Amino acid sequence: MAPLIQYLMGGLTLGSTYGLTALGFTLIWSATGIVNFAQGEFVMLGGMLAVAGVAVGLSQLWAILLAVAGTTVVGAMVERTMIRPLGRRPVLDVVIVTLGVAMVVRGLVMLFLGKETHVLEPFSGHVPLRVFGAAIMAQGVWVLATAAAVVGGLKVFFSATLEGKAMQACAHDPVAASLVGISVPRMTLLSFALSALLGAVGGVLITPITMTSYDVGILLGLKGFAACVLGGLGSPLGAMAGGILLGVVESLTAGYLSSAYKDAVALVVLLAVLFFRPTGLFGPRDVTRV
Amino acid sequence: MRRPFWLQVAVPIAVMGLLPLVFPGSYSLTVLILSVLHAMHAVGLCLLVGHAGQISLGHGGFYGLAAYTSAILSVRYALPVEVAMAGGVGLTVVVAALLGLPTLRLRGHALAMATLGLGIILNILFTEAVELTGGPSGFVGIPRLSFAGVVVDRDGAVYGLLVAVLGAMMALATNILNSRVGRALRTLHGSEAAAEAMGVDVAQAKRVVFVLSAGFSALAGVLYAHYLTFIAPSSFGFLFSVELIVMVVLGGMTSIPGAVAGAFLVTWLPEVLRAFENVESLLFGIILLGCIRFFPQGLAGAGASVGRWIGALLRCPRGEQDRG
Amino acid sequence: MAEVLLAVRGVEVRFGGLLALNAVDLVVEAGSIHALIGPNGAGKTTLLGVISGAVWVQQGQLELQGVDITRLPAHRRAALGVRRTFQHVEIVAGMTVFDTVAVGAHGSHDLPLWQSLLATPRSRRVEEAIAKAAAEALEFVGLASVADREACTLALGQQRLVELARALAGRPRLVLLDEPAAGLNMAETAALGELILRARQAYGLTVVLVEHDMDLVMEVSDQVTVLCFGEVIASASPAEVQRDPRVVAAYLGGST
């Protein structure tokens, strides 16, 4: 019983961060139809910047805040300097540019922050909590609470603010949105900044648990995408649910089967969903927009 | 617009034939052989990316799958090299077809992520299935290339053979682009609505090109394994798949000779750049960003400009030097 | 009564909660030019998409010469001789006028890929047939002189003709024209009307025409069907439709 609870909790924790990455994918995909290859790098950047902040002597809180803010600025800058100048070029070009951005971010982090694996201190110490005889990391509680707060915040943002409603309208029909006076480029900028923010939050939360290095972005991004597809591309709640499901399956695999193949599980799930239910578990049955 | 065969295939092959004279020495020859192998991927990916408009980040995985399959069949099961190679290519093509079946029904770029996922799964397999693959340290003792008992072991002969195979691939690709299939691909890349309204089975067209490009990569893979006689998982990873995309983008996406030139240039980069290992990601990223933004025609565009310039110099009638 | 080429029966299309087409019937006689008119948002383009296979129906049935095509994907319908043009011109950047038009003949041939890969004699014969069809279509619409230009660099009026030529290159039985006169001046529109009539003659076409320009509609069509909020409110000869009070009301925004 105790190991099962431990694996479930671990999966829930891991899965929430995948869910945050998946939310980032969904935001950009809804607003622009782009699969953003740099999404995983935003997660990596958040974690690595926090590590670097602590290394230069900042308090952990400040390091984390600055890392999240810095990544958000990077996300906005990527949209401004790389995506927007492409104008009405084919989507393929934009996707290749996001791949280029991913490679540049990864390359720069490696050059300036090194190839080593880093770890961040857990937010409230190493002493585990005891639940039904299972040892649960306090960091896990942080992750879950933050993820819940972020999802709640997004919900409020989308349903109660003008900006959020405009973004939803834009995702639904960009032409109609621009006709009623919504600035589509502004919404694209916002989606990139928000996605980077979500990614960075996930990155700083997960680093105390899984550690980080310059090259973790690609796998995290892929798992985020898998979560997205699992939940149905374009559905925020589906993204979060897909992330959690994926995290739990991965954690159970690592616990009961083999930790060597745990990364393969997420990818097998991705391929299986694409094969059998391309609109995702919670997505609509209609495939026209996928 | 028709792509003239001599410009698309004959001239590049002739240039490749001359390269060992320009860069003599056995080390240069090794790099040239690698370049030709990479160019095989680039030709297939040029069709997939530049014409069908789909990105794959799994062709490094296909390369490895074919190489490992052929190595395993020839060493562990003692099959003749030709049979093992056919097995490697066959398995890879089947895997690609299975992957393409569901993925290419979808609009957008699900293929990119699905292939990326497959590539990573394959790499995990190459590394973890130690009894079968030799694990992280690699697979040694693969028999050399041979056909009907004749072993091809001199590097010069290998180079000649590879250039011939590449030439055949370029010819096939040029045929495709000059046919109704080529026009259908370019149309669906620009407008799937128009393509399907004109009778193009969009999903099938993408699938066919995807499987064809995987087949080219697989052929490169089995040739690589039996040329080098040693393979390791690190050669077939994510970064290699990105490198292949870089070659195609640098070549100008739509041009086959451009993609081949891109493959040669990118393969030579580590030779001229000492610090390559440390700036590899950064450099690939910069090439991708720079080319898409400022030189979407890539090397092919540059080649066309030079061609026009020479044309003007020789006062050739205009239009003859048109880029393919 | 002439032979029926296309029959649409009880078609219903929903986009999310929006009912775009409701119990729509449409009968198009072979060899006729059948106009679809109606206020903006009436569902004309949606109906065209339903016929071409770009839009799937939730209910109802489509028959082309008695064959049920309701569940056939767009490319299979093209193979049966259906072609269309687009309201927002769908011309691919970087392709010449000739190549753009030649794509129209794609669905008229069924050739395995390996034939094209190896450029076999049979594939060459097919390519020649396609080139001939494309050249004829370009000649027919009067664009033969710009065959080698990049199609997207032409003026809008010419791009619309490229789309028409692309449709004709497939030697279709049924052509769906989606607002072919939008953005054209009066002289161009008049020439277009004449071209549509000539095309029917030369290619033996049946045409479904979505158009806002009433002069053009009245000039070329044999039958007019009026859509309003996704429902057919009238279907008759042009003269009768003009007199129909429900149609007038729909256009003036009144209620029926």
Side-chain angles (χ1 to χ4, degrees):
Chain A
M1 186 67 186
L4 179 65
I5 293 179
Q6 216 155 311
Y7 296 145
L8 282 179
M9 185 63 192
L12 212 57
T13 313
L14 211 59
S16 317
T17 65
Y18 296 163
L20 290 176
T21 315
L23 273 178
F25 266 118
T26 300
L27 279 180
I28 293 185
W29 193 85
S30 300
T32 62
I34 300 168
V35 170
N36 174 27
F37 273 102
Q39 191 60 37
E41 308 305 321
F42 291 154
V43 182
M44 179 274 288
L45 193 59
M48 286 298 280
L49 284 180
V51 167
V54 171
V56 299
L58 291 175
S59 77
Q60 186 157 18
L61 182 64
W62 274 109
I64 287 171
L65 290 179
L66 283 177
V68 171
T71 308
T72 309
V73 171
V74 169
M77 271 171 48
V78 163
E79 198 278 333
R80 268 296 161 98
T81 60
M82 301 292 165
I83 308 291
R84 189 171 300 183
L86 294 180
R88 292 179 49 79
R89 296 268 288 276
V91 174
L92 175 76
D93 289 16
V94 186
V95 173
I96 293 179
V97 161
T98 66
L99 180 64
V101 167
M103 299 311 287
V104 167
V105 169
R106 178 187 162 116
L108 287 177
V109 168
M110 187 185 103
L111 268 187
F112 289 105
L113 301 179
K115 291 186 184 177
E116 299 79 24
T117 299
H118 299 278
V119 34
L120 205 59
E121 280 296 302
F123 299 175
S124 47
H126 290 279
V127 185
L129 307 172
R130 293 262 160 210
V131 181
F132 298 119
I136 304 236
M137 285 178 290
Q139 184 68 22
V141 179
W142 274 103
V143 174
L144 290 178
T146 316
V150 166
V151 171
L154 272 183
K155 186 109 185 84
V156 171
F157 173 75
F158 278 127
S159 55
T161 71
L162 202 59
E163 212 84 90
K165 285 180 183 166
M167 250 181 107
Q168 274 193 310
C170 196
H172 191 72
D173 186 346
V175 179
S178 70
L179 283 178
V180 298
I182 296 169
S183 158
V184 176
R186 209 175 117 77
M187 292 303 130
T188 310
L189 177 68
L190 199 60
S191 71
F192 267 84
L194 259 181
S195 296
L197 176 93
L198 290 172
V201 169
V204 296
L205 285 174
I206 198 71
T207 304
I209 299 173
T210 59
M211 301 192 279
T212 190
S213 65
Y214 77 100
D215 60 356
V216 298
I218 192 66
L219 205 55
L220 286 174
L222 191 61
K223 286 178 184 173
F225 183 80
C228 239
V229 172
L230 193 59
L233 258 176
S235 141
L237 271 181
M240 207 64 216
I244 288 172
L245 199 58
L246 195 65
V248 169
V249 172
E250 183 180 319
S251 176
L252 291 178
T253 311
Y256 289 113
L257 295 172
S258 138
S259 62
Y261 289 103
K262 78 172 168 55
D263 289 334
V265 170
L267 312 172
V268 170
V269 167
L270 168 65
L271 296 180
V273 173
L274 284 177
F275 219 110
F276 297 110
R277 208 185 148 88
T279 53
L281 296 183
F282 317 110
R285 283 187 168 271
D286 175 22
V287 265
T288 43
R289 258 216 87 176
V290 179
Chain B
M1 116 196 78
R2 270 193 80 79
R3 292 157 188 258
F5 221 78
W6 62 271
L7 191 64
Q8 295 290 312
V9 184
V11 171
I13 292 298
V15 170
M16 280 185 265
L18 291 176
L19 280 177
L21 305 178
V22 185
F23 302 100
S26 66
Y27 182 71
S28 296
L29 197 55
T30 314
V31 180
L32 283 174
I33 287 175
L34 274 183
S35 307
V36 176
L37 286 167
H38 292 171
M40 293 177 186
H41 300 278
V43 170
L45 282 170
C46 173
L47 292 179
L48 183 69
V49 180
H51 294 271
Q54 291 292 316
I55 300 181
S56 162
L57 289 172
H59 273 57
F62 292 142
Y63 192 36
L65 180 60
Y68 269 105
T69 306
S70 188
I72 290 166
L73 289 178
S74 59
V75 174
R76 307 261 193 267
Y77 296 92
L79 290 176
V81 171
E82 304 92 313
V83 178
M85 285 169 66
V89 175
L91 178 69
T92 308
V93 165
V94 169
V95 168
L98 283 178
L99 185 70
L101 209 62
T103 329
L104 289 171
R105 275 201 311 246
L106 307 176
R107 287 171 199 227
H109 289 89
L111 182 72
M113 283 294 175
T115 49
L116 175 56
L118 182 75
I120 292 178
I121 291 178
L122 287 173
N123 222 270
I124 293 174
L125 211 62
F126 302 153
T127 315
E128 300 294 336
V130 180
E131 322 82 74
L132 211 57
T133 63
S137 49
F139 194 122
V140 289
I142 305 167
R144 288 197 161 276
L145 282 174
S146 68
F147 296 94
V150 183
V151 179
V152 189
D153 55 356
R154 282 185 34 254
D155 276 9
V158 172
Y159 183 71
L161 173 72
L162 294 185
V163 169
V165 172
L166 176 62
M169 288 180 180
M170 293 171 76
L172 294 179
T174 306
N175 279 344
I176 282 280
L177 294 182
N178 279 336
S179 77
R180 63 200 270 278
V181 183
R183 279 190 297 264
L185 290 176
R186 296 180 67 187
T187 306
L188 74 86
H189 183 8
S191 163
E192 292 196 0
E196 64 183 20
M198 299 308 138
V200 179
D201 185 343
V202 170
Q204 194 205 325
K206 288 181 190 169
R207 213 178 293 138
V208 153
V209 173
F210 176 61
V211 172
L212 187 70
S213 70
F216 283 6
S217 285
L219 195 49
V222 296
L223 291 166
Y224 173 78
H226 294 281
Y227 155 67
L228 216 59
T229 70
F230 163 78
I231 50 177
S234 56
S235 317
F236 311 117
F238 161 70
L239 216 53
F240 183 69
S241 292
V242 175
E243 186 174 344
L244 295 176
I245 299 292
V246 171
M247 293 168 185
V248 175
V249 170
L250 184 63
M253 303 246 273
T254 57
S255 156
I256 288 172
V260 170
F264 272 76
L265 216 67
V266 174
T267 310
W268 278 88
L269 271 180
E271 312 306 322
V272 293
L273 214 68
R274 278 280 170 81
F276 182 76
E277 220 179 298
N278 286 322
V279 294
E280 195 177 7
S281 292
L282 186 58
L283 202 63
F284 288 167
I286 290 172
I287 295 177
L288 289 177
L289 294 178
C291 279
I292 295 289
R293 175 84 171 274
F294 301 110
F295 309 104
Q297 311 284 334
L299 293 172
S305 302
V306 171
R308 271 195 297 275
W309 184 69
I310 294 174
L313 222 60
L314 299 175
R315 295 187 179 202
C316 271
R318 283 182 65 183
E320 217 176 272
Q321 311 285 336
D322 256 359
R323 181 176 47 84
Chain C
M1 194 171 148
E3 183 202 355
V4 172
L5 184 80
L6 174 77
V8 175
R9 291 197 200 96
V11 157
E12 179 186 310
V13 173
R14 281 174 192 278
F15 295 125
L18 181 82
L19 188 59
L21 291 178
N22 185 16
V24 167
D25 293 314
L26 182 74
V27 174
V28 179
E29 289 175 10
S32 70
I33 296 181
H34 194 126
L36 286 177
I37 64 170
N40 278 323
K44 300 175 304 262
T45 294
T46 305
L47 183 52
L48 222 56
V50 163
I51 301 170
S52 77
V55 177
W56 287 82
V57 300
Q58 270 83 26
Q59 262 179 45
Q61 199 195 10
L62 292 123
E63 271 183 15
L64 187 71
Q65 283 192 330
V67 179
D68 186 351
I69 59 166
T70 319
R71 291 288 143 204
L72 283 193
H75 67 270
R76 297 274 304 280
R77 296 187 197 184
L80 293 176
V82 179
R83 291 290 186 282
R84 71 174 291 181
T85 68
F86 293 88
Q87 186 182 349
H88 303 287
V89 177
E90 293 279 350
I91 280 177
V92 176
M95 288 178 79
T96 62
V97 169
F98 183 85
D99 281 345
T100 305
V101 171
V103 173
H106 187 96
S108 313
H109 302 271
D110 191 16
L111 190 73
L113 177 90
W114 64 269
Q115 299 253 11
S116 299
L117 256 181
L118 299 176
T120 57
R122 187 173 151 214
S123 90
R124 279 180 215 176
R125 278 197 300 279
V126 168
E127 295 300 331
E128 276 164 26
I130 289 175
K132 188 158 160 278
E136 278 173 13
L138 276 173
E139 188 72 42
F140 186 81
V141 302
L143 287 180
S145 59
V146 293
D148 293 328
R149 287 263 302 276
E150 203 179 312
C152 65
T153 62
L154 299 179
L156 179 67
Q158 288 187 313
Q159 292 196 18
R160 292 216 179 273
L161 292 180
V162 170
E163 284 217 337
L164 180 61
R166 178 168 69 184
L168 293 177
R171 300 192 199 284
R173 287 192 279 177
L174 176 64
V175 167
L176 316 169
L177 302 176
D178 198 353
E179 297 196 24
L184 303 194
N185 61 34
M186 279 174 70
E188 283 174 327
T189 305
L192 179 72
E194 211 173 292
L195 193 62
I196 293 173
L197 290 171
R198 273 205 295 130
R200 164 167 67 173
Q201 208 65 44
Y203 282 85
L205 292 182
T206 305
V207 179
V208 174
L209 169 70
V210 168
E211 187 50 66
H212 275 298
D213 186 313
M214 280 309 132
D215 293 339
L216 180 63
V217 168
M218 295 305 151
E219 183 197 329
V220 301
S221 44
D222 308 306
Q223 180 91 1
V224 179
T225 293
V226 188
L227 280 172
C228 191
F229 294 117
E231 294 185 30
V232 174
I233 59 169
S235 189
S237 73
E240 283 167 324
V241 159
Q242 261 177 319
R243 287 193 302 268
D244 191 321
R246 287 171 303 173
V247 176
V248 177
Y251 269 89
L252 295 177
S255 56
T256 49

